[in-house]
Amino acid sequence: MRGIALEGGGAKGAFHVGAMKALKELGVEYHAVAGASIGALNGALLATNQLEKLEKIWLSTEMSDIIKGDSEALMALMNFEFPSDSTKIKKFLSETFKQGGLDVSPLKQSLKRFVDEDEVRASNIAYGLVSVSLTDLKPVEKFIEDIPVGKLHDYMIASANLPAFKDEKLDNKRMLDGAFYDNLPINMLLDRGCDEVIAIRVFGIGRIRKISKKDRDKVIYIEPSEDLGKVLEIDIEKAKYNMRLGYFDTLRVFKALKGSRYYIDELVTEEVVLEKLLKIPKVVLHQIATFLGSDRGTYRMLFEEILPLMSELLKVDKTKGYAYVILSYYEFLAEQAKINRFEIMTFDQLTQKVNAHYSSELKSYKGIQDEIAKMLIAALPSKGVIFFPQKFKNELLIHFYYLVLQGLRDTGISL
């Protein structure tokens, strides 16, 4: 029996949708779904196999569909953007304070429109959610059969009731977002009898209950490879991006893809990487040595100085091997070149894209700024370069690559 645990995190929840699209494509079935906050809201439609409907909702929802009031003023507050004329923001804050928090009545209406309680109850996929009763000072963990008939939408709102929202009561009890008890209800599914749980994380703010040692092997985690944005960042383009991220980060887990930013299949072996590194002409190594103010333009310098320095600049573990360091370097170069990351490719395909981009820029490349170069070179012997601004580190890493490209072009050798 397989369960899906959905972590709470507001607008970050679009990641769930992309992850579920990948699971569906991979033919991964599930028998129960449980979530907290936005995980509970998404989970209701996933429990009724309405993934396409859920995607359409995410790609059409705006702030006004969630919170009643001046959406522009709320977005400005979230982004810490304060115009010279702050009248609208002051008015919004005043109204919010008077009513006891943000008014989520539009969200309530949307849930009643999109989620059919009878369908959730009739589904063969078990549905559960988490909330907290402030009145009783107790967690509320319920599957659909434990929720009184006609109360599903109220329990869903209770699960997503952030402290910033207007006070919500359920059967005369004050309720709080489920994230304050268990933002990723894996244990709830294990207790239900699931022998495998796919936990889809979004790194929302909240508590996550520990899992017993005997159950740890039962959990498969899907995690975003980059920050998903703010909890209340209701933006259709951002939702679309986070869905793509969820889709590919899920494929990374289930297809054992490599890379931290890109999605790499058929990773090159350590032996092949060593062979390629040893093909770098000595004249190129001398050019790098000259830039560094060293007279050691040898392969020893490459393996003892350059590659360890690159590992430090890239913040990667050099003990994982040269193939890992070089993959991380090409991922960095690809990201700097804005090469599309949302596709599965081999390591060779990644290097070809990177080589093509930087080779086309080689003639127009002006080199690292002289002043920065002097500071970097002066800092290299003591590794003081590690404390330089990230922009400087990036420039140094890119410059190394251009030095290699220039040397290869001059010698007529391809790497």
Side-chain angles (χ1 to χ4, degrees):
M1 181 175 171
R2 181 183 293 118
I4 304 289
L6 303 172
E7 184 179 9
K12 299 170 185 275
F15 183 85
H16 296 154
V17 182
M20 294 304 297
K21 287 182 70 175
L23 291 176
K24 182 178 180 179
E25 184 179 289
L26 292 165
V28 177
E29 297 181 348
Y30 55 97
H31 312 91
V33 57
S37 196
I38 191 61
L41 307 191
N42 284 343
L45 286 171
L46 293 175
T48 52
N49 284 309
Q50 297 187 82
L51 179 56
E52 290 183 3
K53 180 179 180 180
L54 182 59
E55 181 179 8
K56 289 179 181 177
I57 292 171
W58 272 98
L59 296 180
S60 61
T61 297
E62 298 179 347
M63 185 67 79
S64 58
D65 298 311
I66 307 294
I67 296 169
K68 185 178 180 180
D70 191 329
S71 298
E72 290 185 6
L74 177 57
M75 292 299 292
L77 283 168
M78 286 175 49
N79 296 321
F80 297 98
E81 297 172 352
F82 302 103
S84 55
D85 182 7
S86 58
T87 305
K88 292 178 69 175
I89 292 180
K90 289 178 180 177
K91 181 181 178 182
F92 177 79
L93 287 172
S94 176
E95 291 175 350
T96 302
F97 180 77
K98 287 178 182 177
Q99 65 192 15
L102 297 171
D103 185 346
V104 293
S105 55
L107 175 60
K108 295 181 190 178
Q109 295 167 8
S110 296
L111 286 179
K112 290 179 179 179
R113 189 167 68 252
F114 294 129
V115 178
D116 186 313
E117 181 172 338
D118 291 337
E119 289 182 356
V120 178
R121 292 186 180 280
S123 176
N124 58 0
I125 298 174
Y127 168 71
L129 53 75
V130 184
S131 186
V132 176
S133 170
L134 282 176
T135 302
D136 300 326
L137 296 178
K138 291 181 179 180
V140 176
E141 294 180 292
K142 289 185 180 292
F143 278 95
I144 187 65
E145 63 269 21
D146 302 317
I147 296 174
V149 175
K151 292 283 187 178
L152 174 60
H153 300 104
D154 295 332
Y155 272 84
M156 291 172 69
I157 286 292
S159 180
N161 191 31
L162 291 169
F165 293 167
K166 189 177 178 180
D167 194 25
E168 286 293 330
K169 288 188 177 181
L170 179 61
D171 296 331
N172 292 319
K173 294 182 179 181
R174 294 178 62 207
M175 306 301 291
L176 187 62
D177 195 298
F180 287 87
Y181 175 66
D182 191 357
N183 206 27
L184 187 63
I186 297 170
N187 283 298
M188 193 174 172
L189 292 165
L190 292 171
D191 292 342
R192 180 83 178 189
C194 292
D195 49 24
E196 179 180 287
V197 175
I198 298 173
I200 305 177
R201 298 216 57 189
V202 294
F203 295 115
I205 298 172
R207 177 195 179 208
I208 295 178
R209 290 176 60 206
K210 290 183 179 179
I211 304 165
S212 64
K213 288 184 179 179
K214 66 181 179 62
D215 289 327
R216 288 176 186 171
D217 291 340
K218 297 178 181 178
V219 184
I220 299 171
Y221 289 94
I222 297 171
E223 301 179 344
S225 54
E226 65 179 81
D227 184 75
L228 298 175
K230 301 181 181 71
V231 171
L232 289 177
E233 191 176 355
I234 311 297
D235 179 84
I236 292 173
E237 288 304 314
K238 183 67 174 177
K240 189 183 298 184
Y241 183 86
N242 285 345
M243 283 184 199
R244 295 182 75 189
L245 200 65
Y247 176 84
F248 279 94
D249 283 344
T250 301
L251 292 182
R252 185 199 303 283
V253 173
F254 281 83
K255 291 192 173 186
L257 302 177
K258 306 300 180 183
S260 59
R261 298 286 292 173
Y262 287 75
Y263 304 91
I264 309 302
D265 194 9
E266 296 181 22
L267 184 62
V268 69
T269 65
E270 193 80 357
E271 291 74 15
V272 171
V273 168
L274 280 170
E275 183 181 340
K276 286 180 177 291
L277 289 171
L278 292 172
K279 279 186 178 180
I280 297 176
K282 287 186 177 180
V283 65
V284 175
L285 297 178
H286 280 295
Q287 288 178 348
I288 296 174
T290 300
F291 170 75
L292 297 177
S294 170
D295 57 1
R296 294 184 63 193
T298 63
Y299 291 108
R300 184 172 179 177
M301 178 195 73
L302 174 64
F303 289 103
E304 293 183 1
E305 295 183 28
I306 301 303
L307 290 173
L309 176 61
M310 285 173 53
S311 300
E312 293 285 349
L313 293 172
L314 292 166
K315 299 178 182 177
V316 299
D317 185 359
K318 62 185 177 184
T319 63
K320 291 186 177 181
Y322 297 123
Y324 178 75
V325 174
I326 296 302
L327 171 60
S328 299
Y329 186 37
Y330 271 99
E331 283 192 285
F332 161 80
L333 292 167
E335 189 173 17
Q336 294 296 308
K338 294 182 170 54
I339 292 172
N340 176 38
R341 62 181 297 208
F342 291 122
E343 63 174 295
I344 297 175
M345 62 183 100
T346 65
F347 177 76
D348 284 343
Q349 288 172 330
L350 175 66
T351 58
Q352 287 168 13
K353 289 175 184 287
V354 169
N355 291 341
H357 171 82
Y358 286 95
S359 294
S360 68
E361 300 284 329
L362 186 57
K363 288 184 179 180
S364 59
Y365 178 63
K366 296 179 181 178
I368 199 167
Q369 296 178 35
D370 288 342
E371 291 184 6
I372 295 176
K374 290 176 182 177
M375 289 190 289
L376 290 171
I377 293 168
L380 283 173
S382 64
K383 290 290 184 71
V385 69
I386 304 305
F387 301 102
F388 273 49
Q390 190 61 48
K391 179 182 177 181
F392 290 1
K393 298 177 189 177
N394 292 350
E395 284 198 40
L396 180 58
L397 285 165
I398 292 172
H399 189 71
F400 281 152
Y401 193 70
Y402 274 119
L403 284 176
V404 173
L405 282 181
Q406 181 69 53
L408 292 176
R409 190 184 72 170
D410 293 345
T411 56
I413 297 176
S414 60
L415 186 60

